[in-house]
Amino acid sequence: MDFNEMSTSEAATPIGWPFLHRLLGSATARASETLSEMCGRSIAVSASDLSLCSGRAARGLAWLDDLMVGVRVGLTGAFVGRALFLLAPESAQRLSAILLESLDGLEPGAAAAPDSLAMSAIDEVGNVTVTAVANELSVRLGGPIWPSVPRTEVKRGRDMLDAMLRDMATGDDRVLVAQMTFTNDTHGIEAMLLIAFPPDVHGAGEDVEGALRWRRSW
Amino acid sequence: MAKILVADDAAFIRGRVRQILIGAGHGVVEAEDGRVAVEAYRREQPDAVLLDVTMPEMDGIQALGEILRHDPNARIAMVTAVGQQETVMRALQLGARDFVVKPFRSDRILDAVGKLLRQ
C-alpha cells in the first residue's frame, strides 16, 4: 500500500485546512492518551496527508485494491457521516499485538494470532480513533455526535469504501482522508481514516462546509 | 475482594476489564454473550455485574431483565458505546444502577464498580 499516493488524489478546496489540522491534532492527542492508558505504554497517534475529495475520487485510490482490515462507524447528530478506519493486515497484526501484550493471562504467542481477540483489539483502536474525532467535532460544531457500534471486517478496501458510500446514499459525498500513524517506541504503524459526509448535511444549525468556512475566518 | 461478572462479546474488552479489576483486587467471571451472562450470574452469584449493551445471542437489555428477574437486588452497570443513550435510559429504567461509556479509562470502570459495591 503506497500511502504517498494520497498527495496525488483529487485536490480539495483549502477551505478549513487550519480547522481540520487543529481538529485532528486535538483528536489524535486524545486518542494517544486513551490508547496509552489502555495498554500501559506510550502510543503516540498522529495524522498527516489530509485530503478532502469526492467519493468518486476516493474510490480511485489504488491502495484500496488491497485486502485490508476495516472498522466502520456511523456518525449521527451534529455531524452526519460515516467513518472507515483501514489498516493493512500486517499493520493490524502489529498494532493488535501491542495492545494484546498488555493483557495478562494470555497464552504464549496469543498476542500475534490473527484471531477474534486481535480483531477485537483493532475494533477498539478504530473505536477510540473515530470517537476522538467525533468528540472534537462535537465540541467545535456545538452539538452532540453519536458514533454507532463499530463493525470490523476483512475485505478489499474499495469494497468497504463502496459499502460506506452506499450507506450514505447521497451520491455526491465528500470524503476526508487522513493517514494515521501509531508510534510505539520507535516503530510507526500506518493506517488510514476516511470520513464521508454529504456536502449539504445540516446539523446543530450549521452545515459542515459552513462550519469550516466560519472557523477559517477566525 | 468482590466477585465481578464481566459480560462483553469483545474478547479484548473482557481482557482489559479483567486486568483492571484483578489489579484492584477483585475476582472476575467472564461471559461472552447475554445468555452466558445470565447462566454465570445464577451459578456464581457475583457481587456486581458489568454488562455490555450490544451482544449476540441475548443482548445486554434482555440479560439485564433476566438477571433482575432472578435477583431483583442484582447490582448491574451497563457498558455502552457512545450513541446508545436511549438504550442506556431504558436500562436505567429497568433497574441498571450505572453505565460506563466505551472507550473507557480504567478509573471509570473502578468508579462504577466501587459505586455498585457501596450500594
Side-chain angles (χ1 to χ4, degrees):
Chain A
M1 181 167 24
D2 181 10
F3 289 120
N4 291 326
E5 189 189 350
M6 290 311 308
S7 58
T8 64
S9 66
E10 180 181 305
T13 163
I15 289 173
W17 282 138
F19 169 80
L20 287 173
H21 277 279
R22 279 198 301 275
L23 179 122
L24 284 173
S26 303
T28 51
R30 191 189 282 248
S32 300
E33 189 186 342
T34 305
L35 289 173
S36 299
E37 196 271 345
M38 187 184 285
C39 66
R41 64 169 80 172
S42 172
I43 295 185
V45 185
S46 59
S48 59
D49 291 342
L50 303 190
S51 172
L52 189 59
C53 59
S54 65
R56 192 170 60 181
R59 288 193 76 255
L61 296 170
W63 51 263
L64 286 168
D65 280 332
D66 296 339
L67 189 71
M68 305 182 90
V69 180
V71 184
R72 285 169 61 188
V73 182
L75 300 168
T76 54
F79 177 92
V80 178
R82 300 285 184 274
L84 178 60
F85 178 72
L86 289 171
L87 300 113
E90 58 273 20
S91 298
Q93 195 167 351
R94 286 171 58 204
L95 191 52
S96 64
I98 291 170
L99 268 74
L100 297 182
E101 279 166 14
S102 68
L103 296 181
D104 293 333
L106 285 181
E107 298 289 326
D115 59 6
S116 63
L117 189 58
M119 287 289 276
S120 169
I122 291 302
D123 189 85
E124 193 59 9
V125 174
N127 189 24
V128 165
T129 305
V130 174
T131 300
V133 174
N135 284 339
E136 292 302 324
L137 260 176
S138 174
V139 168
R140 285 162 170 77
L141 295 181
I145 296 171
W146 300 296
S148 68
V149 175
R151 195 171 118 193
T152 301
E153 51 196 358
V154 181
K155 281 183 180 173
R156 211 167 60 114
R158 185 165 292 108
D159 292 341
M160 288 187 272
L161 176 63
D162 282 347
M164 178 172 82
L165 294 174
R166 265 199 312 275
D167 208 21
M168 296 287 293
T170 59
D172 57 351
D173 307 307
R174 310 298 303 277
V175 181
L176 172 66
V177 187
Q179 179 174 316
M180 310 296 291
T181 305
F182 297 80
T183 307
N184 168 237
D185 300 327
T186 56
H187 304 293
I189 299 171
E190 291 176 345
M192 298 303 291
L193 179 65
L194 294 88
I195 300 177
F197 57 93
D200 58 347
V201 65
H202 284 264
E206 56 185 352
D207 67 46
V208 173
E209 292 283 357
L212 299 180
R213 201 169 286 116
W214 181 77
R215 297 289 172 185
R216 191 189 179 215
S217 68
W218 283 77
Chain B
M1 182 184 93
K3 187 195 291 183
I4 315 296
L5 170 60
V6 178
D8 197 308
D9 58 321
F12 176 72
I13 297 292
R14 288 201 310 275
R16 188 172 165 236
V17 175
R18 179 183 63 222
Q19 186 162 24
I20 294 166
L21 294 175
I22 287 175
H26 298 302
V28 173
V29 178
E30 293 182 39
E32 67 272 24
D33 63 48
R35 194 172 305 284
V36 174
V38 173
E39 288 163 6
Y41 190 90
R42 289 181 174 146
R43 186 178 65 247
E44 301 281 346
Q45 295 294 306
D47 301 294
V49 182
L50 293 173
L51 197 55
D52 184 31
V53 166
T54 309
M55 289 187 288
E57 294 295 324
M58 180 188 285
D59 69 26
I61 296 294
Q62 289 175 290
L64 171 71
E66 290 286 323
I67 292 172
L68 288 172
R69 247 190 304 281
H70 170 77
D71 176 6
N73 296 315
R75 294 178 284 195
I76 302 172
M78 307 305 291
V79 179
T80 171
V82 183
Q84 295 181 303
Q85 286 87 339
E86 283 180 20
T87 311
V88 168
M89 290 306 295
R90 195 166 148 227
L92 293 173
Q93 285 164 356
L94 284 171
R97 302 191 186 190
D98 198 2
F99 64 95
V100 178
V101 178
K102 289 194 275 192
F104 51 74
R105 295 177 60 98
S106 55
D107 51 0
R108 182 66 192 101
I109 287 287
L110 293 174
D111 281 351
V113 168
K115 218 162 95 179
L116 290 176
L117 295 176
R118 283 193 297 274
Q119 289 175 352

